[in-house]
Amino acid sequence: RKEVEQDPGPFNVPEGATVAFNCTYSNSASQSFFWYRQDCRKEPKLLMSVYSSGNEDGRFTAQLNRASQYISLLIRDSKLSDSATYLCVVRSGNTGKLIFGQGTTLQVKP
Amino acid sequence: GAVVSQHPSRVICKSGTSVKIECRSLDFQATTMFWYRQFPKKSLMLMATSNEGSKATYEQGVEKDKFLINHASLTLSTLTVTSAHPEDSSFYICSAYGAEQYFGPGTRLTVT
């Protein structure tokens, strides 16, 4: 079983739609959680950290459920520029090692 | 601006040759850097943790004699792919810890 699992998609949505991505992780000792965005042939870039209380950054909302070992990302009012691959990332312990999910591809169409 | 740089950004080499990739932290010191590899449509896989002044720690399944890592200073780590083969063709990305974990822009290696 993969340590971090995501539905690879692709998710094809029209502009303005709301889309949600889910992620599960297997290691209950995981310490920190993130969503990264990766554009084609580029390095991943931090989109937002994820906290148990849930957090929001503009059109993006992230949620963490430690009991279910489940992470989500909600994107409201999708823009064409949101088209990318979204990576669910988990940090284990204090080593600083980041474990990446396969990524979920989003394509926003006009 | 970029806080972690990689060089080269793209390299094509012949099978059997060695390729060196540099990773630099630009405005901070990094005692630890990480090397990842990403195949098309796949996730980033951690290859090794590079420790300044000591040996790198390799992940299971990564050959340390094939992927040589040197972290000689607090701002530079190098990854050398020795005796490269076509199956080593991939996107290699380094990262370093500053205020957060920053990623370099990646190096696309093609072995012909």
Side-chain angles (χ1 to χ4, degrees):
Chain A
R1 182 187 172 188
K2 294 179 183 175
E3 285 194 66
V4 180
E5 297 214 49
Q6 294 180 252
D7 179 350
F11 284 58
N12 296 301
V13 303
E15 272 186 291
T18 295
V19 61
F21 303 140
N22 304 318
C23 166
T24 57
Y25 60 96
S26 61
N27 187 346
S28 59
S30 299
Q31 298 286 323
S32 309
F33 310 88
F34 310 91
W35 283 101
Y36 277 75
R37 170 190 170 134
Q38 186 175 26
D39 292 285
C40 188
R41 295 178 172 266
K42 300 286 187 182
E43 77 276 23
K45 295 192 174 176
L46 180 64
L47 180 65
M48 57 198 304
S49 300
V50 189
Y51 306 108
S52 298
S53 55
N55 48 299
E56 186 174 307
D57 182 2
R59 298 180 293 108
F60 299 84
T61 301
Q63 295 273 354
L64 166 65
N65 184 321
R66 283 188 181 269
S68 303
Q69 295 180 199
Y70 172 93
I71 306 163
S72 67
L73 176 68
L74 183 77
I75 305 175
R76 291 181 298 277
D77 188 23
S78 300
K79 311 290 184 190
L80 295 176
S81 57
D82 293 333
S83 298
T85 297
Y86 291 83
L87 303 169
C88 177
V89 184
V90 171
R91 177 180 295 144
S92 294
N94 296 319
T95 63
K97 288 185 183 180
L98 295 182
I99 310 299
F100 287 79
Q102 181 182 358
T104 299
T105 299
L106 171 66
Q107 294 175 352
V108 181
K109 307 217 182 265
Chain B
V3 295
V4 175
S5 69
Q6 274 185 249
H7 178 78
S9 58
R10 176 174 291 195
V11 57
I12 301 173
C13 72
K14 291 186 177 179
S15 188
T17 61
S18 295
V19 175
K20 180 187 284 189
I21 302 170
E22 294 185 349
C23 176
R24 293 182 185 274
S25 56
L26 297 181
D27 53 8
F28 64 98
Q29 295 182 331
T31 55
T32 302
M33 292 184 177
F34 302 91
W35 286 97
Y36 296 83
R37 178 168 54 180
Q38 186 177 34
F39 292 106
K41 298 189 185 298
K42 299 292 184 184
S43 184
L44 275 76
M45 296 300 294
L46 180 64
M47 298 175 68
T49 303
S50 173
N51 306 298
E52 188 270 335
S54 65
K55 292 181 180 180
T57 305
Y58 290 82
E59 295 301 301
Q60 191 173 9
V62 178
E63 299 174 58
K64 63 181 182 185
D65 294 328
K66 179 169 180 63
F67 298 99
L68 302 179
I69 291 173
N70 185 283
H71 195 153
S73 78
L74 288 170
T75 58
L76 173 65
S77 175
T78 61
L79 169 68
T80 301
V81 183
T82 62
S83 187
H85 290 284
E87 57 265 31
D88 297 324
S89 299
S90 188
F91 191 45
Y92 292 84
I93 307 175
C94 72
S95 73
Y97 260 117
E100 61 182 67
Q101 191 158 347
Y102 299 106
F103 286 84
T107 296
R108 192 159 301 279
L109 170 64
T110 303
V111 185
T112 60

